[in-house]
Amino acid sequence: MILELDCGNSFIKWRVLGVGGGMTVGEGVVDSDLALLESLNAIVSLSLTYCRLVSVRTTEETGALTALLKSAYGVSVACAAPSREMSGVRNGYEEYERLGLDRWLAMLGGFHLASGSCLVLDFGTAVTADFIDSDGEHLGGFICPGMPLMRNQLRTHTRKIRYGDIAAERALESLAPGRTTVEAVERGCSLMLRGFVLTQLEMARSYWGEDFVVFLTGGDASLVSGVVPEARVVPDLVFVGLAMACPLS
């Protein structure tokens, strides 16, 4: 079995693939290394032979996790690393090693699936957009706050904005002007994300006309999917790139 990990700043997304990297036998999102072990140990007949991961955490945090996995399961751990070029994609950053590894892997996965020009939009804690030309050239991208960051900033800096996650979810059942604070905040932030997406689409069309593929990934991709009905929603796009960066052989 193969364990794949996407270690973000706040959460760890994981999945376990069956023999040969086929069917997914378990997956989830956890908020700590110990919670990851608990989730893995709940899988019946777990037998890990390989682990690959991408991490945007500190070297020390990533090292602690890999040591924990080796100790618990005796498994070798391959970590994705920055690269100037891989699988036909050329990193567009002036300092290629400073491009977030999760963004890099999502671009590898998107270009592989599109076989041509693509726009990769990732909706997590932060929102990122990346443009990859038909020849694999990364033209650059954008980063802006995602829903969690926008929501938390308003909660932190505005005393009267206080509400829970359930209220936030209910508020997004409509995008009509809010008649409560939670509705106004959640719908306003959602509309900001939609506006961001429309700007990225306009820019992509200025490059490629209509000859490109749009990928939506990340936990909040569903909030904007209606703006881009033709987009391909690929929740595990980072894992597609991770398999390319850290092959079994």
Side-chain angles (χ1 to χ4, degrees):
M1 294 179 178
I2 303 168
L3 172 62
E4 297 184 324
L5 302 173
D6 178 3
C7 306
N9 290 306
S10 303
F11 298 100
I12 300 173
K13 184 176 183 180
W14 65 272
R15 72 177 184 182
V16 174
L17 303 178
V19 178
M23 183 176 62
T24 299
V25 298
E27 61 185 340
V29 178
V30 294
D31 59 4
S32 70
D33 295 356
L34 292 180
L36 173 63
L37 291 190
E38 291 179 2
S39 297
L40 293 175
N41 290 335
I43 297 177
V44 177
S45 302
L46 179 70
S47 179
L48 297 179
T49 56
Y50 186 72
C51 173
R52 53 192 171 209
L53 66 82
V54 54
S55 175
V56 297
R57 300 182 171 192
T58 66
T59 302
E60 292 74 19
E61 289 173 322
T62 303
L65 175 57
T66 57
L68 187 63
L69 292 170
K70 290 177 182 177
S71 174
Y73 305 109
V75 66
S76 61
V77 181
C79 299
S83 176
R84 171 60 73 187
E85 184 171 352
M86 182 178 291
S87 301
V89 180
R90 289 180 295 282
N91 192 316
Y93 261 31
E94 294 178 0
E95 299 177 70
Y96 73 88
E97 65 277 4
R98 297 185 66 85
L99 175 70
L101 278 172
D102 50 351
R103 286 175 65 192
W104 175 236
L105 295 185
M107 286 192 290
L108 293 182
F111 185 73
H112 171 71
L113 295 177
S115 298
S117 301
C118 59
L119 168 62
V120 178
L121 300 170
D122 192 339
F123 298 87
T125 302
V127 173
T128 61
D130 285 289
F131 300 78
I132 304 94
D133 212 339
S134 59
D135 63 357
E137 188 71 32
H138 174 219
L139 305 181
F142 298 96
I143 305 173
C144 71
M147 284 292 285
L149 285 178
M150 288 192 284
R151 180 186 297 129
N152 290 338
Q153 283 296 302
L154 285 168
R155 285 174 174 174
T156 300
H157 297 288
T158 307
R159 292 183 180 179
K160 293 186 177 181
I161 295 181
R162 296 289 185 272
Y163 55 84
D165 293 340
I166 295 178
E169 185 175 342
R170 289 175 179 168
L172 288 173
E173 293 174 357
S174 166
L175 287 179
R179 296 173 64 87
T180 64
T181 297
V182 61
E183 290 177 353
V185 169
E186 291 297 314
R187 295 173 188 179
C189 291
S190 180
L191 288 172
M192 288 186 71
L193 287 190
R194 289 173 174 238
F196 177 80
V197 170
L198 291 173
T199 301
Q200 306 313 300
L201 290 173
E202 182 180 347
M203 189 170 295
R205 291 187 180 110
S206 74
Y207 289 140
W208 308 308
E210 298 296 330
D211 189 19
F212 65 97
V213 179
V214 182
F215 291 98
L216 302 181
T217 190
D220 285 328
S222 60
L223 295 179
V224 299
S225 58
V227 180
V228 202
E230 71 277 15
R232 295 178 62 178
V233 180
V234 185
D236 295 325
L237 190 58
V238 168
F239 285 149
V240 176
L242 179 60
M244 298 165 67
C246 301
L248 292 176
S249 57

